[in-house]
Amino acid sequence: MNNDCFFITADKNLICWNYKNHKQYELSHAHARRLVDLIYQQDEPQDDNPLDQNLLRCDILNHQPADDKTWGWDMLSRIFHFGTKNIALSIQPKNEADWAALYLEHCESVLSKPLPAQRINLNALQTIQLLRHTDSGLFEALLTKRSTSRDFLDLPVQLEDLTRILEYSIGFIGERELPDSSNLPAALRKRRSSPSGGGLNSTEAYVYVRHVDNLDPGLYYYDPFGHCLHLLSTELPPVGKMLSGQHFSDSISAGFFLTSRFDKLWWKYEHSRAYRIALLEIGHVAQTLQLVATALNLDTWPTGALCEDLIDPLLQLNSPGEQVLFFVGCGHAKGSATPNSLKTILAQ
Ligand SMILES: Cc1cc2nc3c(=O)[nH]c(=O)nc-3n(C[C@H](O)[C@H](O)[C@H](O)COP(=O)(O)O)c2cc1C
């Protein structure tokens, strides 16, 4: 039995859902009964049984050995993670103009449906009007300034700025290190500017360097313990190709692929609920990273639309224990949320 499949019932049918290749099959009663027999009787599929041959053809049964690469949580998170990984677009945009046309079509279809209400089922006992602040300080100014840009210029980012972003978002803050008396292993005494699930610092960063002064283009792993960059590759695919065809980002100077070390979370937390922790921690780190970049007068662009089959090899990720979840690009932009390609279509 292919262990990448799970079963649900719908409309009085048994559905076999292969969550890795994103295919679903409705099983006839005869196929379902035969599958149950094979599972319970531990039988081998027969060459002369058409039902067995159909189950093999659909990869519900296969001759592959069970996937022995471990997953440290129960099936819930495994299904969700792999079921939402490598989602192929029906049409993969090849360039910025392609992307803009498809995105516009998507927006038009979404906007043709009614917008969900602002708040569902609110039974307030009282409403208290709050005052708005007028005495904004530097931090409020920073929060006000951060915004998503999608019109990046091919201008260099300074290595010093890239370093500072890494230091204050992924790096460890020396002053925050827990003392020896905490009785924790040294690696667990490190603290970042963002909170971390279980204090495990399971978020990692891989830096996409396209145009940074005094740093060769390439893909680097940032080591927060040594505060150094390890060059992993000098072959850089266009970033938009790895990010679901969002080619307006191809001119971005630098970016950060954020991964989560699930194996660290598995070590401490057994239930799939900890999968949420991985996502939440990445969100905290990503926001901090964007705020540091904004404070340095850089523009940022976040995306979760990843093509993992292209990113994983570049980041040398080859076990389920570490997975890429988010990307934050940064550089100098004109500061518009609308990419130039989309503006061109809208102006026509
Ligand atoms: C989890 C997450 C995923 C996002 N994915 C994308 C994306 O795939 N492409 C994109 O252009 N923007 C993406 N964004 C940026 C949002 O579109 C943007 O934050 C939103 O429009 C609000 O604009 P602001 O960031 O300027 O406040 C993402 C933001 C978040 C938080």
Side-chain angles (χ1 to χ4, degrees):
M1 179 67 213
N2 182 342
N3 71 351
D4 294 331
C5 293
F6 68 94
F7 293 87
I8 52 169
T9 53
D11 299 331
K12 296 188 186 165
N13 280 308
L14 184 65
I15 312 287
C16 175
W17 189 330
N18 183 324
Y19 56 87
K20 270 209 181 144
N21 70 13
H22 315 294
K23 287 191 176 150
Q24 294 179 34
Y25 297 95
E26 193 178 290
L27 299 184
S28 71
H29 194 182
H31 284 92
R33 284 185 71 144
R34 177 63 184 151
L35 188 62
V36 170
D37 286 347
L38 286 168
I39 293 168
Y40 279 89
Q41 291 159 12
Q42 291 284 295
D43 270 354
E44 286 293 314
Q46 304 298 309
D47 287 346
D48 57 355
N49 185 330
L51 297 174
D52 294 9
Q53 294 310 305
N54 288 340
L55 293 167
L56 279 166
R57 203 170 29 252
C58 298
D59 204 27
I60 296 169
L61 294 175
N62 63 27
H63 294 298
Q64 316 291 328
D67 181 1
D68 58 356
K69 287 186 179 169
T70 49
W71 181 258
W73 289 306
D74 49 81
M75 288 299 290
L76 281 177
S77 52
R78 188 171 196 264
I79 292 171
F80 180 77
H81 185 78
F82 290 106
T84 55
K85 181 174 176 171
N86 285 324
I87 300 293
L89 300 173
S90 49
I91 308 168
Q92 178 76 24
K94 298 250 178 316
N95 53 45
E96 203 181 328
D98 269 8
W99 171 85
L102 286 166
Y103 185 68
L104 199 62
E105 203 180 299
H106 172 68
C107 289
E108 278 166 2
S109 132
V110 172
L111 288 170
S112 68
K113 296 179 287 182
L115 186 68
Q118 194 58 21
R119 176 67 168 83
I120 305 167
N121 299 334
L122 181 70
N123 291 311
L125 297 176
Q126 196 188 354
T127 300
I128 298 131
Q129 186 61 55
L130 302 174
L131 295 177
R132 293 204 179 268
H133 263 81
T134 48
D135 54 341
S136 309
L138 280 178
F139 189 61
E140 287 85 348
L142 178 63
L143 296 177
T144 307
K145 191 172 165 196
R146 186 221 54 86
S147 68
T148 298
S149 298
R150 297 188 185 84
D151 56 351
F152 285 87
L153 302 163
D154 189 9
L155 293 173
V157 164
Q158 300 305 308
L159 177 58
E160 201 185 319
D161 287 347
L162 187 84
T163 304
R164 197 179 287 245
I165 295 171
L166 288 166
E167 188 173 2
Y168 284 97
S169 56
I170 319 287
F172 300 127
I173 311 281
E175 293 86 336
R176 297 211 53 228
E177 180 148 350
L178 301 185
D180 292 358
S181 58
S182 62
N183 285 329
L184 285 169
L188 295 185
R189 284 192 245 132
K190 307 288 185 191
R191 291 292 176 264
R192 286 180 168 153
S193 53
S194 299
S196 159
L200 296 168
N201 295 316
S202 38
T203 302
E204 302 272 2
Y206 294 77
V207 192
Y208 179 94
V209 173
R210 200 184 68 84
H211 197 172
V212 175
D213 264 355
N214 300 316
L215 191 60
D216 289 336
L219 195 282
Y220 296 79
Y221 166 69
Y222 173 68
D223 173 3
F225 289 92
H227 186 48
C228 53
L229 291 169
H230 300 285
L231 177 63
L232 301 187
S233 174
T234 51
E235 300 289 317
L236 282 187
V239 76
K241 192 174 172 193
M242 296 188 280
L243 301 168
S244 300
Q246 299 180 89
H247 285 287
F248 57 81
S249 63
D250 287 350
S251 56
I252 220 155
S253 300
F256 306 86
F257 286 101
L258 299 178
T259 68
S260 179
R261 286 283 306 273
F262 290 169
D263 59 336
K264 288 189 178 181
L265 291 159
W266 295 337
W267 176 68
K268 189 166 176 182
Y269 304 113
E270 282 177 12
H271 195 278
S272 271
R273 186 173 68 167
Y275 183 81
R276 295 181 179 202
I277 302 302
L279 302 183
L280 293 166
E281 182 175 312
I282 294 254
H284 282 83
V285 170
Q287 170 70 349
T288 305
L289 197 156
Q290 289 168 95
L291 287 177
V292 180
T294 305
L296 295 166
N297 291 318
L298 290 167
D299 298 285
T300 57
W301 171 67
T303 178
L306 313 174
C307 299
E308 292 91 339
D309 53 354
L310 299 176
I311 301 168
D312 285 354
L314 187 69
L315 273 49
Q316 300 179 11
L317 302 179
N318 45 29
S319 102
E322 182 174 4
Q323 298 283 333
V324 62
L325 294 171
F326 207 43
F327 176 85
V328 180
C330 100
H332 297 279
K334 280 187 254 163
S336 171
T338 311
N340 295 325
S341 49
L342 203 51
K343 280 187 188 152
T344 309
I345 299 188
L346 292 170
Q348 281 163 8

